[in-house]
């Protein structure tokens, strides 16, 4: 990768000649590199990973391209790239804010997104590419940066005055994409890690919640939305349609036919939308404009999310010793490499795939490293029980009597 130079960038030259990005009704994002990554482009020289030469510049030595969406390594970074593109479009079209402090808040969000993208790059350098592990660790790294920087609080505090010429709904798109990296992606990624578990492995009382969450296919939906937004903007209504599958839905409470026109994000929302809405996240509900329906739908959504969130963490903890060292997914059963006892596999296929690619080169050497040996079945069960107990304590301290973790674990123990 080489540093960005507007003189040679085709998008920059096109923007300079046509000026499309400044037009609110034009779908062009333009080239947002200099806007989105100024500290990276113009900041101090730093030593690249693995280099011993202090004169090398990390900005020109990355082993991957950071400027085009198609070249990015993870879904989490692609969302960040798209958020940066939308912010740039808002800046170039002079998107009106309600207060001067709101514009300063947007600048703060821009800095946070830059730092989060740089954090994903460190994940790529230490994690197998195109793997569940890389996607999950990139997602967690982004969430950590956004959480520490109070991204959610800043986003919630911003007030805008949508211009009449904004036919795309820039701010609505920005908020929806933000929700993926703030909450949805993490839960979806953790649920995906349990994909090898049959629904019968979950407590009977919760199987419907698990099946509904799996059917949402949140990570696939995210990919579809990002693909639709590249290389040009689409309207917020179109994004909503991709999120829901169809704008024509039935209220989850009264079953009345409705046309979805708004999004309910979280309990932080001060009021229920006045238009038919969909709840974003791993518990998908649709609701009409009736107040009673809104209250009932959101109460059900809150209850189901707490159960789903607790169940996913408890199941991952229970089978933590069974995480496959090749596909990184969780299985109800697992087997150690009989040669070195340092690797765990969920299936014969994963064992053979890892053996042919890497493990046969290091198996004999790993055998001599006792510290790397994995626990047997009994030891893995003991470790899992300990982690489940830790989650019960953690949720009890964090949520008090609202915690359902102990209830979920009791149901799991009856299986």
């Amino acid at each position: 990768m080489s540093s960005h130079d507007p003189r040679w960038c085709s998008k920059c030259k096109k923007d300079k000649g046509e000026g499309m990005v400044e037009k609110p009704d034009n779908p062009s994002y333009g080239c947002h590199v200099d806007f989105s990554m100024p500290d990276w482009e113009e900041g101090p020289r730093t030593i690249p990973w693995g280099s011993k030469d202090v004169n090398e510049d990390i900005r020109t030595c990355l082993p991957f391209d950071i400027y085009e969406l198609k070249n990015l390594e993870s879904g989490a970074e692609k969302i960040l790239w798209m958020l940066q593109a939308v912010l740039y479009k808002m800046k170039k079209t002079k998107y009106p804010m309600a207060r001067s402090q709101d514009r300063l808040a947007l600048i703060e969000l821009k800095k946070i997104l830059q730092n989060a993208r740089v954090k994903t790059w460190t994940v790529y350098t230490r994690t197998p590419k195109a793997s569940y592990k890389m996607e999950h660790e990139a997602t967690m790294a982004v969430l950590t940066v956004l959480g520490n920087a109070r991204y959610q609080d800043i986003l919630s505090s911003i007030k805008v005055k949508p211009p009449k010429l904004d036919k795309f709904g820039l701010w609505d798109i920005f908020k929806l994409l933000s929700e993926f990296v703030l909450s949805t992606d993490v839960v979806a990624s953790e649920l995906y890690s349990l994909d090898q578990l049959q629904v019968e492995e979950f407590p009977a009382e919760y199987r419907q919640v698990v099946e509904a969450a799996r059917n949402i296919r949140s990570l696939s939906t995210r990919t579809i939305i990002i693909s639709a937004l590249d290389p040009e903007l689409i309207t917020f209504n179109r994004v909503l349609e991709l999120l829901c599958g169809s704008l024509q839905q039935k209220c989850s409470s009264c079953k009345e036919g409705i046309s979805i026109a708004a999004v309910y994000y979280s309990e932080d929302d001060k009021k229920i939308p006045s238009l038919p809405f969909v709840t974003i996240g791993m518990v998908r509900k649709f609701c009409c404009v009736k107040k009673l329906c809104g209250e009932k739908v959101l109460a059900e959504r809150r209850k189901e999310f707490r159960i789903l969130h607790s169940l996913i963490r408890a199941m991952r903890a229970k089978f933590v010793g069974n995480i496959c060292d090749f596909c990184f997914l969780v299985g109800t059963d697992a087997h150690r490499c009989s040669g070195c006892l340092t690797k765990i596999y969920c299936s014969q296929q994963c064992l053979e795939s890892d053996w042919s690619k890497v493990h046969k080169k290091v198996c004999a050497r790993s055998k001599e490293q006792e510290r790397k040996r994995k626990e047997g079945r009994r030891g893995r069960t003991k470790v899992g029980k300990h982690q489940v107990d830790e989650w019960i304590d953690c949720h009890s301290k964090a949520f008090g009597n609202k915690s359902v973790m102990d209830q979920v674990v009791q149901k799991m123990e009856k299986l």
Side-chain angles (χ1 to χ4, degrees), residues 388-400:
V388 169
D389 290 340
E390 286 187 338
W391 272 122
I392 292 175
D393 292 340
C394 176
H395 274 231
S396 179
K397 292 176 182 176
F399 306 113

Side-chain angles (χ1 to χ4, degrees), residues 169-186:
L170 290 174
W171 184 241
D172 288 321
I173 291 175
F174 186 87
K175 288 194 297 181
L176 191 149
L177 293 179
S178 291
E179 183 60 29
F180 276 104
V181 288
L182 285 169
S183 174
T184 304
D185 280 1
V186 174

Side-chain angles (χ1 to χ4, degrees), residues 31-50:
C31 178
H32 61 84
V33 173
D34 287 345
F35 167 79
S36 300
M37 311 297 289
D39 294 338
W40 180 256
E41 286 297 317
E42 302 167 9
R45 295 171 66 86
T46 50
I47 303 172
W49 296 291

Side-chain angles (χ1 to χ4, degrees), residues 362-378:
V362 299
C363 185
R365 190 164 64 248
S366 298
K367 187 176 182 179
E368 301 171 0
Q369 300 175 302
E370 290 189 21
R371 64 183 178 82
K372 289 186 176 183
R373 289 185 183 177
K374 300 289 179 71
E375 295 279 0
R377 185 189 301 270
R378 185 175 299 176

Side-chain angles (χ1 to χ4, degrees), residues 1-5 11 31-33 37 40-41 59 65-69 71-72 81 117:
M1 183 209 81
S2 59
S3 292
H4 178 256
D5 190 334
K11 286 188 176 181
C31 178
H32 61 84
V33 173
M37 311 297 289
W40 180 256
E41 286 297 317
R59 294 171 298 173
D65 197 337
I66 68 167
Y67 298 139
E68 294 208 29
L69 185 71
N71 296 320
L72 306 186
W81 188 98
R117 279 194 66 190

